[in-house]
Amino acid sequence: MRRLQEVLKGQEGNYILPLFWQRGEEEGILREEIQRIHESGIRAVIAEARPHPDFLGPKWWRDMDVIMEEARKRGMQVWVLDDDHFPTGRAAGRLKDAPKELRRSFLSERHIDALGPAPHASFIIDRPYVPFFAESGGGALIAVVASKRDPISGELTGESIDLSAIVKDGILHWSVPEGYWRIFIMTISDKGGSKNHEDYLNPLAAESTRVLIDTVHEAFYERYRDDFGKTFAGFFSDEPAFYNDSNQYNYESAPGKKDVAMPWSKDVPERLKEVIGEDYLKQLPLLWHDQGVNPPPIRYHYMNIVSSLYGENFTSQIGDWCREHGVEYIGHVIEDNNAHTRLGAGSGHFFRALWGQDMSGVDVVLWQLAPGFDEIPFKWFFGEADSEFYNYGLGKMGSSLAHLDPKKKGRTMAEVFGAYGWAEGLKLMKWLTDHMLVRGVNHFIPHSFSAKAFPDPDCPPHLYARGKNPQFRYYRYLNHYTNRLSHLLSGGTHIASAAVLYHAEAEWSGKAMYFHKPVKELLKRQIDCDVLPVDAILDSVTLEGKKLKSRDETFDCFIIPYSEALPAKCLARIGELAELGLPVIFIDALPVRASEGEDGSEFLKRLTVCRNVSIVPLAEVAEHLASRGFYELKTDGEYPYLRHYHIRHEDADVYFFFNEHPQLPIETNVELPASGHICLYDAYNNRVTRVIEVVDGEDARVPLRLAPFETVVVVAGELFKDLTVQDEAVIEREQLEVSAAWSLSIVSSEQYPRFETYGKLERLVDLSRQEYLPRYTGTFRYETTVEWNNALPKNMWLDLGEAYETAEVLVNGRSAGVRISPPYRFDISGLLEQGANILAVEVTNTLIKEHRDMFSLVAQQEPSGLLGPVRLLYGGENAYNER
């Protein structure tokens, strides 16, 4: 239990590295912000030009020198966003006038319809420049292909002719054969993608990415080489992507979508030629147009190629440079609404896109996650959020990559909190943190610290907000909690029952089920899993007995979401694994063909007759696994919002449990395959609350009683000496409601703790109502007198009931602690005295009441203040007698 000892002694590491936006503020302000970051329990920072007026110029380096100096002095680390603005890829403007071979490159098509026979027809191939058609004008001609069409449906029939060689001086003279024909003109240019990203690099071209490295990375190495690998930790890429769609935030962009330019480089045609053959040009129109009932195989081949090139020439090249220079490379791409397998705002393939980095990474901003909305869509800032993906796909996808790639050392980071608006406070931040932790995310990039004068309209909330954020003084409670849990959940081996196939190749090939669909069914039954891409199935997984082994992890079974088609090699490998004994579960049906267009019947026949292959409806997959013993935990009843994560260290097993529901409590017993001793650890208060000794030969039976938002850690292993146990789980034999009138006083963030009297409250009410303080942001202090004339019980708690949202309790002037989320229960044992006691409760709301921002327009706002009921709970007997 070494890691538990470390967190109990306050010796955990730092797992938090917030964004710190640079706009050229004065030196004193920069130093103050670093001080505030440090005093809130954080030991790292990511400097981001957003936008700095002089990135890589004298003023920028002066500001960076200040940040570096403060970091050295405080033992902090500094990371840097690797460009002058997000998204990464602009190379600080160096691509604007660069040669064409270094700029973005897109394949575009236009077509002309023709009717034959027409023996003397001609067609204009070169499109003249017309101002209002400028985006599609010009470009280097790649091919001219004529494809025959069905006379009834107009669909392409598969008969094609390459006419490229007979185009002269921009004109095609062609004797059109009988029938309907479509003449496709395909060109390459740097136009056609998102206009906001015109001067961005081409991630498919190594020499284009090198411009970013030479411009940014080398400049930092030149100035801070002695700090590299020490104070200077590395570089962070933010949302690089293809951006080939004119709508930069299009999450549906993929082959098959009309009028969208396709990312291109000199390597793409060579690789297409390798897999399709010399006549690949005749198939290029099928990147946009259908032919037959199945998606053309070139779409699979193209996506397979460009996603591979992205990983090789962009991410891996930057990552290799960083590792060669003693620093690390981290970041994330846009995963929004399943864009991670697509073009446009996506990067083609999540696992390939981030493989070259030293941590896995995901992003949660703009109300993509909202408590309680785990299935039905949620109105987020850019439309409707796919709640299933964000809840059951995003975090699992991220941590699965960290488990798979050795250089990531099990590390997954999440950029969190950003652009939720001032409606977001520490309560929601803790929920978001727990949501990620329980899915295996163990590093966090809070979004953000801004040194700009308040109010900065750029994606609030800002954690300090130049002193205006009233909850900042409590922010350290969240950070200490986050670091403790991250420390416990890092460095070991994740334990899970199932592996689920990542769906990218299936989506490129035809109808496909998202991987997060079966993940959802499993997590709602406390059956944990990891997500594995096809690349891992082909290159790295093995069998250990009848279990699937991926690096240090083993899985009881392998689940394949419904896939109309999968790559032939993948089908063959799945069949091989099944024949060797691995239970393979196909959701709803087997594939019917191979992605490459091959028959695939031989592979599919092997799967059909293999006794280790099952076909299970999606709704029944969790029950199917449970019936076969493919699970770890067992609860008394069904608790679809009870989440857990299990990591095994050399000397202990750590189980993290989270009640993810924002309103409903959970009370159950959990059976664990553990032996020896079990500790229940409260990470928020940093104390062990209970020890259970497990009877030899029996599973451990652990009682869980979790309020909404509440977490608990179960640590199983040998007990260490001098363990202090502070058991606060009691039978609430008695309770007394505090129903006296309250004196109310208020104070703003900047004036705290100099309270001003507001008046008396005969009853507790929502202070944001119109008749009270609807536009007030700050701290509300409630005071009353509690008479206690009986013998003082051994154990006593104060339960505030509802509070919105950060609360501190003081009894006779002594603090009983701070709570930033439910349950608002405080141990006041030893604080209450016989006779009259002064009870004070300080409740702090968020800035949304005072400052309405656009990012909070989609938020369901909470009340202000203490609503209760406030109760004294007491009883001298422990609820749990085992010791």
Side-chain angles (χ1 to χ4, degrees):
M1 293 189 179
R2 177 179 60 85
R3 285 189 175 249
L4 179 57
Q5 286 178 299
E6 289 169 346
V7 297
L8 287 171
K9 295 176 181 177
Q11 297 173 349
E12 66 273 6
N14 177 71
Y15 299 83
I16 307 171
L17 39 155
L19 294 173
F20 179 21
W21 295 347
Q22 301 302 304
R23 292 188 175 88
E25 283 81 13
E26 296 177 1
E27 177 180 333
I29 291 177
L30 296 181
R31 292 188 188 277
E32 182 191 356
E33 288 284 332
I34 293 293
Q35 176 187 338
R36 299 301 184 191
I37 293 169
H38 184 265
E39 72 184 25
S40 66
I42 297 172
R43 300 295 179 264
V45 69
I46 301 176
E48 174 182 343
R50 191 176 172 88
H52 193 282
D54 190 32
F55 183 65
L56 301 182
K59 171 59 177 167
W60 169 261
W61 294 120
R62 284 195 296 271
D63 292 349
M64 277 302 305
D65 287 346
V66 170
I67 294 170
M68 291 291 292
E69 180 184 325
E70 287 291 323
R72 292 188 201 102
K73 180 171 67 176
R74 301 174 187 278
M76 298 174 67
Q77 287 192 312
V78 176
W79 301 74
V80 171
L81 176 75
D82 57 0
D83 217 329
D84 61 349
H85 199 271
F86 90 100
T88 292
R90 190 171 174 272
R94 298 301 192 274
L95 275 303
K96 185 173 184 179
D97 299 314
K100 282 191 174 182
E101 60 269 20
L102 297 179
R103 294 173 58 79
R104 297 197 306 171
S105 183
F106 299 114
L107 176 70
S108 299
E109 74 86 18
R110 68 178 181 91
H111 50 266
I112 305 169
D113 287 325
L115 176 64
H120 304 293
S122 62
F123 307 87
I124 299 173
I125 301 303
D126 284 352
R127 172 177 280 181
Y129 175 80
V130 180
F132 48 88
F133 286 130
E135 287 302 317
S136 54
L141 183 65
I142 293 298
V144 176
V145 174
S147 298
K148 195 168 186 179
R149 304 171 69 194
D150 183 276
I152 304 299
S153 67
E155 296 292 323
L156 305 183
T157 65
E159 181 181 346
S160 297
I161 307 170
D162 186 351
L163 304 174
S164 309
I166 61 173
V167 175
K168 304 296 181 184
D169 193 27
I171 299 294
L172 170 67
H173 292 275
W174 179 48
S175 297
V176 181
E178 183 178 356
Y180 293 91
W181 294 81
R182 178 158 283 178
I183 302 168
F184 294 98
I185 301 132
M186 286 157 289
T187 56
I188 299 293
S189 76
D190 59 357
K191 304 296 182 185
S194 162
K195 193 165 183 62
N196 287 339
H197 302 89
E198 273 189 345
D199 297 322
Y200 273 59
L201 60 80
N202 182 356
L204 303 184
E207 58 273 25
S208 186
T209 300
R210 186 69 210 191
V211 176
L212 174 65
I213 294 172
D214 290 342
T215 301
V216 177
H217 299 74
E218 291 283 2
F220 279 89
Y221 183 64
E222 179 66 24
R223 192 171 188 90
Y224 301 119
R225 68 175 66 202
D226 292 340
D227 290 293
F228 264 46
K230 292 176 283 191
T231 300
F232 194 96
F235 295 90
F236 170 73
S237 279
D238 196 359
E239 299 185 355
F242 289 116
Y243 295 114
N244 59 293
D245 199 304
S246 58
N247 178 358
Q248 70 182 74
Y249 292 118
N250 191 310
Y251 306 136
E252 305 291 335
S253 185
K257 185 180 180 185
K258 304 294 191 295
D259 302 320
V260 172
M262 297 292 168
W264 201 255
S265 76
K266 61 178 174 31
D267 295 323
V268 176
E270 293 302 316
R271 297 202 182 186
L272 282 172
K273 193 181 299 182
E274 290 174 8
V275 294
I276 295 177
E278 294 292 335
D279 65 346
Y280 77 92
L281 291 173
K282 291 163 63 174
Q283 296 191 40
L284 287 181
L286 303 182
L287 290 174
W288 296 272
H289 299 269
D290 295 332
Q291 178 179 288
V293 295
N294 297 323
I298 190 174
R299 296 182 188 174
Y300 159 74
H301 288 302
Y302 171 80
M303 288 299 298
N304 194 37
I305 288 167
V306 297
S307 61
S308 297
L309 286 172
Y310 182 104
E312 295 166 17
N313 292 334
F314 182 74
T315 318
S316 290
Q317 184 180 187
I318 297 173
D320 289 344
W321 184 96
C322 288
R323 287 181 284 275
E324 289 167 5
H325 290 75
V327 294
E328 292 190 312
Y329 176 42
I330 63 175
H332 70 86
V333 295
I334 292 180
E335 319 92 352
D336 301 359
N337 279 17
N338 309 294
H340 54 90
T341 59
R342 299 169 187 160
L343 304 174
S347 52
H349 189 292
F350 177 83
F351 289 83
R352 292 174 181 173
L354 296 186
W355 191 263
Q357 296 186 343
D358 293 290
M359 293 186 196
S360 182
V362 296
D363 181 33
V364 178
V365 294
L366 293 161
W367 291 97
Q368 293 166 339
L369 278 170
F373 287 85
D374 66 311
E375 295 184 279
I376 66 172
F378 180 80
K379 177 65 174 72
W380 71 311
F381 198 70
F382 285 128
E384 295 273 311
D386 182 344
S387 297
E388 282 190 343
F389 165 67
Y390 290 116
N391 279 270
Y392 298 104
L394 181 61
K396 270 296 169 193
M397 183 171 67
S399 63
S400 296
L401 172 58
H403 302 154
L404 179 63
D405 180 5
K407 64 179 169 292
K408 291 178 172 52
K409 304 173 186 176
R411 298 176 300 173
T412 303
M413 70 84 187
E415 182 182 327
V416 288
F417 311 152
Y420 270 66
W422 287 116
E424 179 185 30
L426 293 177
K427 177 182 174 182
L428 178 53
M429 289 180 183
K430 181 181 178 295
W431 187 92
L432 292 168
T433 301
D434 289 329
H435 175 102
M436 287 293 159
L437 282 164
V438 83
R439 287 157 176 80
V441 174
N442 49 20
H443 287 71
F444 294 86
I445 298 180
H447 181 306
S448 64
F449 280 86
S450 172
K452 187 175 181 179
F454 182 87
D456 180 358
D458 191 350
C459 298
H462 304 119
L463 298 162
Y464 178 54
R466 303 301 306 136
K468 291 289 287 186
N469 187 347
Q471 292 193 359
F472 176 73
R473 65 178 174 272
Y474 303 118
Y475 181 45
R476 59 191 172 91
Y477 288 89
L478 174 61
N479 293 329
H480 291 314
Y481 170 84
T482 301
N483 276 329
R484 291 174 195 136
L485 280 175
S486 296
H487 194 71
L488 284 173
L489 298 174
S490 297
T493 301
H494 174 231
I495 307 299
S497 300
V500 178
L501 184 67
Y502 183 58
H503 69 266
E505 286 82 354
E507 183 179 283
W508 304 338
S509 308
K511 296 177 182 177
M513 176 184 290
Y514 293 136
F515 79 86
H516 58 258
K517 293 284 187 179
V519 170
K520 180 182 95 171
E521 299 300 318
L522 300 186
L523 295 190
K524 291 175 75 171
R525 285 286 298 272
Q526 294 80 51
I527 301 175
D528 203 2
C529 60
D530 256 10
V531 184
L532 296 179
V534 167
D535 295 344
I537 303 305
L538 297 179
D539 300 334
S540 62
V541 301
T542 57
L543 277 187
E544 188 174 273
K546 294 183 179 180
K547 294 190 176 186
L548 189 67
K549 184 171 179 61
S550 175
R551 282 196 69 220
D552 299 327
E553 294 189 70
T554 56
F555 306 101
D556 295 324
C557 60
F558 186 31
I559 298 173
I560 318 294
Y562 172 74
S563 309
E564 184 180 354
L566 286 171
K569 288 183 179 180
C570 181
L571 290 171
R573 179 61 173 153
I574 293 171
E576 178 186 356
L577 293 169
E579 289 167 352
L580 291 171
L582 175 68
V584 175
I585 300 162
F586 285 88
I587 302 296
D588 291 345
L590 289 173
V592 296
R593 55 186 172 81
S595 302
E596 300 88 343
E598 301 171 10
D599 180 11
S601 57
E602 177 185 345
F603 310 127
L604 297 172
K605 182 178 179 181
R606 288 172 60 186
L607 293 171
T608 302
V609 301
C610 182
R611 61 187 179 89
N612 293 315
V613 171
S614 305
I615 301 173
V616 179
L618 176 64
E620 299 174 15
V621 64
E623 183 59 36
H624 178 81
L625 265 63
S627 69
R628 300 179 66 175
F630 299 157
Y631 64 90
E632 244 204 321
L633 310 181
K634 193 173 183 181
T635 59
D636 296 340
E638 294 186 7
Y639 297 92
Y641 289 94
L642 176 61
R643 306 280 179 254
H644 86 284
Y645 186 78
H646 178 195
I647 191 162
R648 177 165 293 156
H649 297 288
E650 290 182 356
D651 61 349
D653 284 78
V654 175
Y655 300 84
F656 177 52
F657 292 94
F658 174 37
N659 179 2
E660 203 158 86
H661 200 281
Q663 298 168 343
L664 303 177
I666 291 173
E667 189 165 358
T668 185
N669 292 294
V670 177
E671 291 184 8
L672 303 174
S675 59
H677 292 86
I678 285 180
C679 298
L680 270 63
Y681 170 69
D682 172 3
Y684 183 81
N685 291 304
N686 196 27
R687 61 189 183 185
V688 172
T689 60
R690 186 182 171 201
V691 173
I692 303 171
E693 188 170 354
V694 181
V695 178
D696 288 344
E698 296 183 9
D699 282 348
R701 189 171 173 83
V702 179
L704 291 185
R705 185 182 182 187
L706 298 175
F709 289 76
E710 193 172 12
T711 66
V712 68
V713 177
V714 176
V715 182
E718 289 305 312
L719 209 59
F720 53 82
K721 296 180 181 179
D722 304 321
L723 177 65
T724 300
V725 181
Q726 302 180 51
D727 194 339
E728 62 177 20
V730 302
I731 295 175
E732 296 159 13
R733 294 195 163 201
E734 305 288 344
Q735 58 177 281
L736 175 66
E737 185 168 344
V738 180
S739 56
W742 297 83
S743 297
L744 178 66
S745 54
I746 59 176
V747 68
S748 68
S749 173
E750 293 161 304
Q751 295 299 315
Y752 185 89
R754 300 187 296 275
F755 285 88
E756 297 179 4
T757 300
Y758 177 79
K760 287 276 189 181
L761 290 177
E762 295 299 324
R763 60 187 180 88
L764 296 174
V765 295
D766 172 14
L767 293 175
S768 69
R769 288 169 55 180
Q770 197 63 39
E771 60 266 36
Y772 294 103
L773 295 165
R775 297 300 299 268
Y776 191 81
T777 286
T779 299
F780 308 90
R781 182 181 175 94
Y782 300 78
E783 286 192 23
T784 193
T785 300
V786 174
E787 292 282 346
W788 190 268
N789 297 316
N790 300 321
L792 289 169
K794 177 182 177 182
N795 301 301
M796 181 169 283
W797 294 261
L798 184 72
D799 190 316
L800 299 183
E802 292 184 69
Y804 299 97
E805 56 178 38
T806 296
E808 182 172 9
V809 166
L810 299 99
V811 180
N812 299 318
R814 291 181 291 172
S815 177
V818 172
R819 298 291 301 184
I820 61 175
S821 71
Y824 293 100
R825 179 177 290 188
F826 298 79
D827 185 351
I828 61 171
S829 305
L831 298 180
L832 203 71
E833 302 170 355
Q834 285 191 329
N837 294 267
I838 298 175
L839 175 63
V841 181
E842 294 184 5
V843 181
T844 305
N845 63 1
T846 72
L847 265 166
I848 188 57
K849 303 304 181 184
E850 173 188 324
H851 189 78
R852 299 171 183 175
D853 65 276
M854 63 183 296
F855 296 95
S856 297
L857 293 178
V858 300
Q860 177 176 318
Q861 288 191 40
E862 294 189 324
S864 289
L866 178 61
L867 272 65
V870 179
R871 297 174 300 151
L872 287 170
L873 309 175
Y874 54 99
E877 182 178 339
N878 289 332
Y880 309 125
N881 297 316
E882 301 93 327
R883 277 281 179 173

